Amino acid sequence: MIKTFESVDSLHLTGVKINYFFVCKRKLWLFDRGIQMEQESDRVLLGKLLDESSYPRRKKRRITINDLIAIDIVDEDSIREVKYSQALEKASIMQIGYYLYYLRSLGIEKKGILSYPKLRKSKEVILTEEMVCELEDAIKEIEKLISQPSPPEAVRKPYCKKCAYFEFCFG
Ligand code: SF4
């Protein structure tokens, strides 16, 4: 049975925040403090354009729930999240898993599909009990993380150069 969503609402825990938690905890902290540089990244812009142009014939697109969940496409039995590449796929899986988790709390059961239109690939994501535990642990950790007065140290990762905060962290 799903746990309370009090902390999800009070943390304003969006899918993007869940994604960032699995990418980099410093990135999540900075983003949560309103230091938002992603809109300057060409990759993010390209991702948004792909999202808007990839499935023009789908009827139900971009659904937002309680300002927390922004699902790219909703079908009868699935939700679909459109991604530019398979890099950092774990974060994408947990993001769509979080949407499934949130929907389950509202009594809605669906499966998730990660779509990579540029690669002509997709991946099915099912909300397993294991994923629920992982998400609930992540939510607890996020609560601790964003209450910290300063961000975690910048630790260089292979993908830092593609991150919008690169200059901020290492410039
Ligand atoms: S540049 Fe690297 S350390 Fe800094 S926020 Fe981005 S991923 Fe994290």
Side-chain angles (χ1 to χ4, degrees), residues 11 28-29 32-33 141-148:
L11 296 171
L28 170 59
W29 191 96
D32 183 70
R33 287 299 197 278
E141 274 194 57
I142 289 170
E143 196 163 11
K144 277 191 236 155
L145 177 75
I146 65 181
S147 66
Q148 288 174 12

Side-chain angles (χ1 to χ4, degrees), residues 2-4 6 17 26 43 48 56 58 62 105 125 140 142:
I2 212 149
K3 283 188 181 169
T4 176
E6 272 172 32
K17 288 183 185 176
R26 178 177 168 87
R43 240 175 111 247
K48 279 185 184 151
R58 299 262 175 188
R62 187 55 79 172
S105 79
V125 179
K140 281 183 219 147
I142 289 170

Side-chain angles (χ1 to χ4, degrees), residues 23-27 30 153-157 159-161 163-166 169-170:
V23 171
C24 170
K25 294 178 176 47
R26 178 177 168 87
K27 181 170 181 161
L30 294 171
E153 288 290 305
V155 177
R156 189 81 173 243
K157 294 172 267 298
Y159 44 85
C160 281
K161 272 204 164 170
C163 174
Y165 293 103
F166 182 73
C169 292
F170 301 107

Side-chain angles (χ1 to χ4, degrees), residues 26 52 65 87 94 151 159 168:
R26 178 177 168 87
E52 270 147 35
I65 304 170
M94 296 312 287
Y159 44 85
F168 188 86

Side-chain angles (χ1 to χ4, degrees), residues 76-128:
E76 209 159 297
D77 63 347
S78 66
I79 59 170
R80 191 178 289 263
E81 179 75 10
V82 182
K83 294 290 182 192
Y84 167 66
S85 86
Q86 275 183 301
L88 307 174
E89 191 173 53
K90 167 74 179 180
S92 302
I93 290 171
M94 296 312 287
Q95 180 179 352
I96 198 166
Y98 176 64
Y99 293 160
L100 298 172
Y101 176 79
Y102 197 94
L103 288 174
R104 182 177 287 178
S105 79
L106 303 174
I108 301 165
E109 288 290 335
K110 291 200 184 280
K111 67 180 176 186
I113 300 172
L114 284 175
S115 280
Y116 305 100
K118 259 194 91 183
L119 307 172
R120 298 181 187 279
K121 284 170 90 172
S122 60
K123 181 184 182 94
E124 194 171 276
V125 179
I126 304 292
L127 183 64
T128 60

